[in-house]
Amino acid sequence: MATLFFVTHPEVVVDPHTPVERWHLSERGITRMRHFAAREELRGIGAVWASTETKAIEAAGLLAARFGLGVETERALGENDRSATGFLPPPEFEAMADAFFAAPEQSVRGWERAVDAQSRIACAVRTIAERHEGGDLAIVAHGAVGALLLSALAGRPISRREDQPFQGHVWRASLPDLALLQGWEPIAPRD
């Protein structure tokens, strides 16, 4: 049985003057992603996909390089559209993320609705899984993307309880049926 590894990018360089989707991995994030890529359990990966956001592409590239693979990108794997507010300082962002998950059928301050983001993401992942030709599959994206997909696959309501504890986590599902095998775990220690 093949496995889907859904991976979230690790730590980034937060730059309020750069669009969020163009943020890069920090040195700590690069180190943690390299540590993850060295895991023996990943040796069966036959394809690596990422959202079109820089931080996800960089993380996917570090993983794909280990296996001599390229990185395929899919715009629909991107974070929920938050362009209505742009960059928010961390405390304000966390409050908005709480509201996003708490009211999934409403647009909070112009953000994409959680139900719409979940539908988009689930459709993209199902399409990628159906077209996958063999071996394990890695998809590198973002925390909210993983939380929304995880709740959809588990048949649970959208909730922030499904979110990763911090950046740089992975969960697993079987292929091609996308049945959950394991919940979130860190890709590597944070120290």
Side-chain angles (χ1 to χ4, degrees):
M1 172 179 61
T3 300
L4 163 67
F5 294 91
F6 185 92
V7 185
T8 65
H9 66 79
E11 293 82 358
V12 299
V13 176
V14 176
D15 180 358
H17 305 293
T18 300
V20 174
E21 61 274 5
R22 296 294 153 237
W23 287 357
H24 292 273
L25 294 180
S26 68
E27 286 301 318
R28 181 183 200 182
I30 291 168
T31 299
R32 289 185 68 228
M33 196 65 203
R34 285 183 175 147
H35 186 268
F36 175 70
R39 285 187 180 183
E40 186 64 22
E41 68 200 80
L42 303 176
R43 70 185 177 282
I45 289 177
V48 178
W49 284 77
S51 86
T52 57
E53 297 188 31
T54 302
K55 52 194 170 273
I57 293 170
E58 289 177 348
L62 292 168
L63 178 59
R66 176 179 176 212
F67 307 104
L69 299 170
V71 175
E72 299 287 336
T73 59
E74 173 54 59
R75 184 175 179 80
L77 295 172
E79 270 289 18
N80 55 304
D81 182 353
R82 304 185 301 251
S83 57
T85 59
F87 172 79
L88 296 171
E92 189 177 354
F93 172 80
E94 290 302 324
M96 283 292 294
D98 287 343
F100 169 80
F101 281 102
E105 295 188 10
Q106 297 175 17
S107 172
V108 181
R109 289 181 55 190
W111 280 19
E112 178 181 20
R113 297 182 323 155
V115 292
D116 297 330
Q118 183 184 56
S119 177
R120 166 179 53 81
I121 294 158
C123 180
V125 170
R126 285 188 181 101
T127 299
I128 291 168
E130 288 168 5
R131 294 180 182 166
H132 182 60
E133 294 185 356
D136 294 336
L137 170 64
I139 294 178
V140 183
H142 314 276
V145 173
L148 293 169
L149 182 59
L150 189 62
S151 63
L153 297 181
R156 295 189 290 257
I158 292 172
S159 168
R160 192 139 195 216
R161 286 189 308 272
E162 303 290 349
D163 201 2
Q164 64 183 354
F166 53 89
Q167 292 177 335
H169 273 70
V170 60
W171 55 256
R172 296 168 182 79
S174 59
L175 289 172
D177 61 347
L178 297 174
L180 292 175
L181 299 173
Q182 181 178 348
W184 291 117
E185 72 170 79
I187 60 169
R190 286 201 290 178
D191 31 4

